Amino acid sequence: MTRITAVLLAAGQGTRMKSNLPKVLHPVCGRPMVLHALEAARAASTETPVLVVGVGADEVRSRLGENVRYAVQERQLGTAHAVMQAEALLKGQSDYVLVTYADMPLLRAETLRRLVETQQANRGPMTMLTVVYEDPRGFGRVLRKPDGTVSAIVEEYVATPEQLAVKELNVGAYCFRADWLWDALHRIPMSPKGEYYLTDTVELAVRDGLPVQAIVLDDLTETIGVNTRVHLAEAEAAMRRRINEMHMLNGVTLIDPDTTYIEAGVTIGADTVIWPNTYIQGQTSIGHGCSIGPNTHIRASKIGDRCTVFFSVMEGAWLENDVEMGPFARLRKGAHLCDHVHMGNFGEVKDSTLGPGVKMGHFSYIGNAQIGPNVNIGAGTITCNYDGEKKHPTEIGEGAFIGSDTMLVAPVRVGEYARTGAGAVVTKDIPPDSLAVGVPARVIRTLQRNNRDE
Ligand code: UD1
Ligand code: MG
């Protein structure tokens, strides 16, 4: 089998970001930009990619973990020198080497695959990506021979006026025949700036009498490279559009894609409608037929089918099917709302399960609670779950009716089909089928289950 290995360069300083965070860890649509680059590179190669790290290496490693190989460039002596750091790992271990820069999060896997395929059909040692664009953005200029093959890449600061006028630019992604590459890297001369440029491989190939092929990219957004926070915002906007289009093509309605912020990795079922000014982040999945937003923030949550989330906030929460929440509801970590739960305005739920059909209409806090099916939680009900040191559990049995403004002083248990009167402060367990009222609440009578007051 042909072995294709991607080498991603990420050792540079990233000075222009003016940040304590290594450049390649800055997120684009919720994910470090290097992970976008790695995902595309992986899809176009057959071996575990190699990331060349230098400045901020430890931080990059601890963030990305060990499903990528690392080569360390101790001093930043240029892009060719950076690739050379992967030689010890890859020499004799790979037939083709795909080199890209880790600060290009929008390069697509298909594009890199096309680059590799073109190189496999090229009798020369390398194939590269170019783009034709009016604004050169400091990119290297691509010079062609009359036969259409590439003769050189000229970096902007050494280019002549005629070369500066060239509109074909070097994107910064190359596929090399490995045996040629490892030898060529050692032949690269030092530049006037004291660095070794990968782009000089082109002239070496030409001198060897071998053709360099280039693929011209149509989609300009793929070539966005992040050097400053201005570029970072451009990359974010382009990636956001790409993500939104993917969801729309999958059958999701976005009322206003320009104000819908969906991070990479989110899944959404068909016929779900996302209203404006909505943020969907982290590992979130949403089923089909839901209505989400407007003005809603969802993070790391799971939402089933046919749910409505209206003007609300949720993080680390789970809605089963046919749940309605909002406006102005807040679910925190460990909130689990089962089928057909209705949660109205100004409620907060944390580390609790609300069983199927529970109704919690207005102004409540439920924490560390297990609530059985079809319980009615009256307006203003609070689980007093925290004594200043510890959290304590509350349990409410099936069909119970919690009167308005009830305080449930945990740990406490309310039995099945029990009721509390308005304003009750429940400090002791209430047996099933009984009515408790007052401060502190006491049981005043037993209820008939088949003939309960409504
Ligand atoms: C490079 C290309 C240029 C191309 C442009 C596209 C060279 C010499 N020039 O220029 O033709 O148009 O990208 O964006 O390659 N890096 C290291 N170690 C180093 C130096 C750089 O790992 O010693 C990494 C950086 O982290 C970065 C990438 O290589 O991810 C590119 O380096 P950068 O300095 O941004 O090159 P450009 O000047 O943009
Ligand atoms: Mg750059």
Side-chain angles (χ1 to χ4, degrees):
M1 197 186 80
T2 310
R3 294 162 303 175
I4 302 156
T5 312
V7 174
L8 279 87
L9 306 191
Q13 189 94 47
T15 326
R16 285 171 287 169
M17 293 294 283
K18 308 217 166 116
S19 177
N20 288 325
L21 187 69
K23 176 166 85 172
V24 295
L25 292 184
H26 279 262
V28 171
C29 290
R31 182 182 279 178
M33 66 177 96
V34 57
L35 283 185
H36 292 284
L38 268 171
E39 187 179 284
R42 253 182 236 283
S45 55
T46 62
E47 316 296 303
T48 306
V50 176
L51 191 66
V52 181
V53 290
V55 179
D58 292 342
E59 223 174 326
V60 174
R61 284 178 100 124
S62 69
R63 178 64 181 78
L64 300 189
E66 296 305 319
N67 62 354
V68 47
R69 291 181 279 175
Y70 297 94
V72 181
Q73 187 191 28
E74 299 289 352
R75 291 172 61 212
Q76 278 63 64
L77 297 178
T79 44
H81 180 260
V83 177
M84 231 186 263
Q85 310 314 307
E87 182 177 351
L89 276 174
L90 297 184
K91 197 168 185 176
Q93 304 299 314
S94 194
D95 303 302
Y96 291 95
V97 179
L98 175 66
V99 179
T100 65
Y101 304 150
D103 61 359
M104 302 205 311
L106 284 125
L107 261 186
R108 291 178 199 269
E110 301 92 271
T111 302
L112 294 180
R113 256 189 245 124
R114 195 148 63 92
L115 179 63
V116 172
E117 280 160 18
T118 307
Q119 174 51 34
Q120 285 177 314
N122 179 4
R123 69 175 181 87
M126 67 180 286
T127 305
M128 54 183 285
L129 288 184
T130 71
V131 65
V132 177
Y133 192 50
E134 282 302 313
D135 174 7
R137 293 179 285 173
F139 282 25
R141 308 298 201 275
V142 176
L143 309 184
R144 299 252 192 180
K145 294 206 253 181
D147 69 359
T149 61
V150 179
S151 59
I153 303 172
V154 186
E155 291 305 303
E156 187 167 88
Y157 80 101
V158 291
T160 64
E162 298 88 82
Q163 291 169 338
L164 285 176
V166 170
K167 302 288 183 239
E168 187 172 11
L169 312 172
N170 173 32
V171 169
Y174 323 81
C175 185
F176 296 94
R177 216 174 59 212
D179 54 352
W180 184 86
L181 173 68
W182 302 127
D183 173 66
L185 289 176
H186 294 279
R187 292 192 277 145
I188 287 179
M190 192 191 271
S191 76
K193 280 197 177 167
E195 293 189 7
Y196 298 92
Y197 291 158
L198 186 60
T199 44
D200 286 344
T201 49
V202 173
E203 277 177 88
L204 289 177
V206 171
R207 234 184 288 152
D208 292 348
L210 300 167
V212 175
Q213 304 281 4
I215 300 176
V216 186
L217 267 183
D218 300 323
D219 179 2
L220 263 177
T221 62
E222 283 197 68
T223 70
I224 296 174
V226 178
N227 292 322
T228 66
R229 303 216 192 209
V230 175
H231 303 146
L232 183 66
E234 279 170 27
E236 176 87 17
M239 182 69 81
R240 182 160 67 235
R241 272 196 299 277
R242 194 185 280 183
I243 290 170
N244 285 351
E245 275 170 29
M246 185 259 302
H247 288 296
M248 290 186 276
L249 294 172
N250 284 344
V252 179
T253 295
L254 305 188
I255 300 293
D256 181 18
D258 288 343
T259 60
T260 303
Y261 306 85
I262 305 174
E263 288 187 351
V266 169
T267 63
I268 308 177
D271 288 324
T272 284
V273 178
I274 315 282
W275 294 84
N277 212 20
T278 290
Y279 303 75
I280 308 176
Q281 305 179 328
Q283 283 301 321
T284 291
S285 69
I286 298 177
H288 62 75
C290 295
S291 174
I292 308 290
N295 298 354
T296 287
H297 196 290
I298 298 171
R299 183 164 188 85
S301 294
K302 184 174 159 196
I303 297 177
D305 299 332
R306 298 173 304 276
C307 292
T308 300
V309 181
F310 185 57
F311 284 86
S312 289
V313 174
M314 55 194 287
E315 171 158 15
W318 173 20
L319 307 185
E320 293 190 10
N321 300 317
D322 304 289
V323 174
E324 275 169 34
M325 72 179 265
F328 315 116
R330 179 177 185 204
L331 297 186
R332 294 168 60 199
K333 191 174 67 59
H336 172 193
L337 275 49
C338 298
D339 288 353
H340 293 284
V341 165
H342 164 79
M343 177 175 174
N345 41 258
F346 308 113
E348 174 180 339
V349 176
K350 186 188 179 217
D351 276 323
S352 298
T353 297
L354 274 55
V358 166
K359 290 195 168 48
M360 169 176 161
H362 340 261
F363 314 106
S364 281
Y365 170 63
I366 301 293
N368 304 93
Q370 294 297 318
I371 299 184
N374 301 317
V375 167
N376 193 310
I377 298 171
T381 296
I382 305 285
T383 53
C384 311
N385 62 330
Y386 185 53
D387 60 12
E389 280 174 22
K390 274 207 205 117
K391 301 278 173 67
H392 299 282
T394 297
E395 220 180 291
I396 302 179
E398 173 171 354
F401 184 101
I402 309 299
S404 295
D405 220 5
T406 294
M407 302 294 124
L408 297 155
V409 183
V412 75
R413 191 175 183 289
V414 177
E416 291 174 10
Y417 297 98
R419 297 177 73 109
T420 66
V425 175
V426 181
T427 56
K428 281 195 274 192
D429 290 357
I430 301 174
D433 304 290
S434 38
L435 171 66
V437 301
V439 181
R442 59 197 173 79
V443 174
I444 55 165
R445 71 178 152 98
T446 303
L447 301 162
Q448 286 301 319
R449 206 177 270 200
N450 293 332
N451 191 19
R452 294 190 314 274
D453 304 333
E454 273 313 310

